[in-house]
Amino acid sequence: MSSSFLAALPEVELHPGKPPILRVDAPGDAPAWAAENREALRGQVAEHGALLVRGLGLRAADQAGAVFRGLGGDPMEDREAFAPRQVRGPGLYSSSTWPANQPMCMHHELSYRQEFPGLMLFACLTAPGQGGATAVADAERVLQALPAELTERFQREGWLLTRSYNDEIGASLTESFGTDDHAAVERYCHDHAIDFGWEPDGSLRTRQRRDAVVRHPLTGRRCWFNQIAFLNEWTLAPEVREYLVDVYGADGLPFNTRFGDGSPIGEDVVRLINATYEDHTRREPWQAGDMLLVDNVRTAHSREAYTGDREVLVAMAEPRRSADRRPTPDGGRR
């Protein structure tokens, strides 16, 4: 890494309980500044796992998209989303549609896909009145902090994601797969090791088994990498879970997670995972114009509950395919 790039940037601020923060004077041309300082910025992400850049003055979607392309190259297309997003530009999306009063717990973006983003890029165009931080947590430290017996089981078996698609809760079939053509959806499932079945009413149910612990593609260190707690029924607010079970049945929830052998994951396990994440969470309230870069394998992220308006744009870059991705055993029609 060129020392001239690093010398051009101020020193990164490191404070307990907060992500690393780089304060800069608003450049006249933010995309050009980002492209010029790409190596230094990416070096900080490699060192710390995440970096909040404050002072860029990002205000528009096209501006944020240009900055993101300068830092991460061509963005990934969103597929298999669990919640709908609005398209704001090529490879540029709104944050996931999720009730403002409900937090989105720690997770690694698209960790249930065979190909997942190595880099997440966020831009805050409008900061919320209160709350709404995109917090981060070190996945290596979370893995080390969880009980060995639990992580060893997940490492042996992986984790199972089950989904039931409908047009009312979560992302619809079209929003997840980009099409409602059954043949095209089946081809996608076959190609991506997803076990699927069509219900009598025409809705789709899927199962996919993936690794819960992976090695970082650059460092080789083991990371807790999954969405086991976030997409589990016990993370839902009690009244929401009761409503969904009443309407769709225990086996028809829009999404749920299990141990890799298909056994249910108890509420105690989910609470333990979320509590461990909280012990390692670093947060900083958004300010309008901020940018956050996140190493998606080394670092989990969340979205906290908030009040007021909030506009955060998201891009996903640097697709990764881990050598130890674990496919669904039968990977086809049920």
Side-chain angles (χ1 to χ4, degrees), residues 48-194:
H48 300 293
L51 178 68
L52 178 68
V53 182
R54 176 154 288 167
L56 273 185
L58 300 179
R59 292 293 185 269
D62 57 349
Q63 180 190 33
V67 168
F68 289 171
R69 288 191 296 275
L71 292 173
D74 292 336
M76 293 177 63
E77 186 177 14
D78 193 22
R79 282 289 178 267
E80 299 183 48
F82 66 87
R85 299 181 186 270
Q86 296 177 357
V87 178
R88 298 298 305 276
L92 185 67
Y93 302 94
S94 68
S95 52
S96 298
T97 301
W98 199 261
N101 65 343
Q102 299 291 329
M104 298 174 66
C105 297
M106 282 291 176
H107 61 284
H108 297 263
E109 198 72 26
L110 299 178
S111 56
Y112 47 80
R113 276 187 54 173
Q114 287 194 313
E115 186 176 70
F116 54 87
L119 177 69
M120 298 295 298
L121 307 100
F122 302 87
C124 178
L125 304 189
T126 303
Q130 186 174 12
T134 299
V136 294
D138 189 308
E140 291 182 39
R141 294 183 178 180
V142 169
L143 175 63
Q144 294 165 2
L146 287 168
E149 182 180 0
L150 178 66
T151 59
E152 287 169 2
R153 177 175 181 181
F154 275 117
Q155 191 162 4
R156 288 194 310 270
E157 300 178 3
W159 64 291
L160 185 70
L161 172 66
T162 62
R163 298 187 65 172
S164 296
Y165 292 85
N166 60 65
D167 293 328
E168 299 176 353
I169 303 293
S172 67
L173 196 70
T174 302
E175 289 166 335
S176 287
F177 294 99
T179 179
D180 61 0
D181 179 77
H182 285 201
V185 171
E186 290 183 8
R187 285 194 299 271
Y188 184 96
C189 290
H190 279 301
D191 292 343
H192 295 84
I194 300 173

Side-chain angles (χ1 to χ4, degrees), residues 204-283:
L204 177 70
R205 290 192 181 184
T206 62
R207 298 166 68 251
Q208 52 210 94
R209 188 159 61 98
R210 302 293 187 245
D211 285 320
V213 178
V214 303
R215 293 192 179 276
H216 192 280
L218 299 181
T219 68
R221 295 173 182 155
R222 296 193 311 147
C223 297
W224 179 251
F225 179 75
N226 55 71
Q227 285 166 246
I228 291 169
F230 177 37
L231 296 180
N232 188 273
E233 61 182 305
W234 296 113
T235 292
L236 296 170
E239 64 276 12
V240 174
R241 178 183 176 275
E242 291 175 9
Y243 168 80
L244 293 176
V245 171
D246 184 57
V247 173
Y248 298 105
D251 294 328
L253 296 176
F255 39 79
N256 203 359
T257 61
R258 292 175 173 266
F259 287 104
D261 66 357
S263 302
I265 298 174
E267 183 178 7
D268 58 332
V269 172
V270 174
R271 288 186 180 276
L272 173 62
I273 294 173
N274 283 329
T276 304
Y277 272 132
E278 180 59 32
D279 289 342
H280 293 81
T281 290
R282 294 171 290 164
R283 54 173 60 84

